[in-house]
Amino acid sequence: MIYRFRVILDTEEDVFRDLEIEKTATFEDLHNIITQGFGFDGGEMASFYLSDDTWDQGEEICLFDMGDSDEPIKLMQETRLESLVTEYTPRLIYIYDFLSMWTFMVELAEIAEYEPGVDYPNVMFAHGQLPDSPPEKSFEGEALDNDEESGDSFVDLDDYDDLGFNENWN
């Protein structure tokens, strides 16, 4: 069986690639066809993350074992696509180059039969050009601004009365 993926760059412009790959291929094989399909040299660190319907980042599948955790990790070269990607769990997030943070949404679009004469993996369709630099990321959240010009006042940690608890609270 063949997995057909749509790989979309997280940007305002439409930039995506439609890829075909054998379902028995590894995540490293998928990584390689994505980097080739988008014109990267493939020399940077990368990871896939399992994702849900709202594109929340889940379990990581790493390109290399960086050895900074005692937890077992999934490596791209050891993990087959069919072991984690199904019609019920079709979404992945792919990050290429952790300094630049090229971010892609990867979705299983179809499970198909082999086609005679087609070599897999295969870039079926390419739309849009990769920008010169990765799209800017805006991380939403409450910003801390202690700038007096903005009207916010600096919190004096020595003034216990203003902190809302008793000095001898413990």
Side-chain angles (χ1 to χ4, degrees):
M1 301 298 282
I2 300 300
Y3 280 174
R4 291 187 176 145
F5 287 101
R6 174 154 286 176
V7 182
I8 304 168
L9 177 62
D10 186 14
T11 184
E12 290 181 23
E13 303 293 321
D14 288 338
V15 180
F16 64 89
R17 305 292 183 263
D18 291 339
L19 311 173
E20 294 178 309
I21 191 167
E22 294 168 300
K23 76 175 195 170
T24 57
T26 65
F27 277 85
E28 185 175 33
D29 297 325
L30 182 58
H31 156 75
N32 289 334
I33 191 66
I34 290 172
T35 57
Q36 292 169 11
F38 282 93
F40 293 117
D41 65 10
E44 301 295 334
M45 287 296 300
S47 284
F48 286 96
Y49 297 89
L50 300 180
S51 183
D52 60 15
D53 290 343
T54 58
W55 295 102
D56 292 322
Q57 185 172 308
E59 184 179 10
E60 182 178 16
I61 302 100
C62 304
L63 184 57
F64 298 109
D65 182 356
M66 300 303 287
D68 52 342
S69 173
D70 293 335
E71 298 289 319
I73 62 166
K74 288 186 174 22
L75 295 175
M76 287 186 201
Q77 67 185 15
E78 298 172 353
T79 309
R80 298 209 176 275
L81 294 173
E82 66 186 342
S83 71
L84 297 175
V85 178
T86 70
E87 60 190 61
Y88 306 107
T89 55
R91 293 184 175 174
L92 303 164
I93 297 170
Y94 174 68
I95 308 285
Y96 178 77
D97 186 353
F98 286 97
L99 295 177
S100 298
M101 292 296 290
W102 291 97
T103 304
F104 299 85
M105 295 166 288
V106 180
E107 186 165 19
L108 178 64
E110 182 180 12
I111 301 173
E113 297 290 331
Y114 285 95
E115 291 184 27
V118 176
D119 291 327
Y120 301 102
N122 176 40
V123 178
M124 296 172 40
F125 184 75
H127 178 79
Q129 296 296 318
L130 193 69
D132 293 333
S133 60
E136 291 289 323
K137 301 285 183 257
S138 66
F139 298 100
E140 293 183 24
E142 202 172 299
L144 297 176
D145 185 7
N146 289 329
D147 185 17
E148 294 198 24
E149 292 178 14
S150 70
D152 294 335
S153 62
F154 181 74
V155 176
D156 183 2
L157 297 178
D158 293 326
D159 187 0
Y160 295 107
D161 293 333
D162 290 343
L163 292 177
F165 62 88
N166 186 333
E167 181 176 350
N168 299 314
W169 63 277
N170 59 352

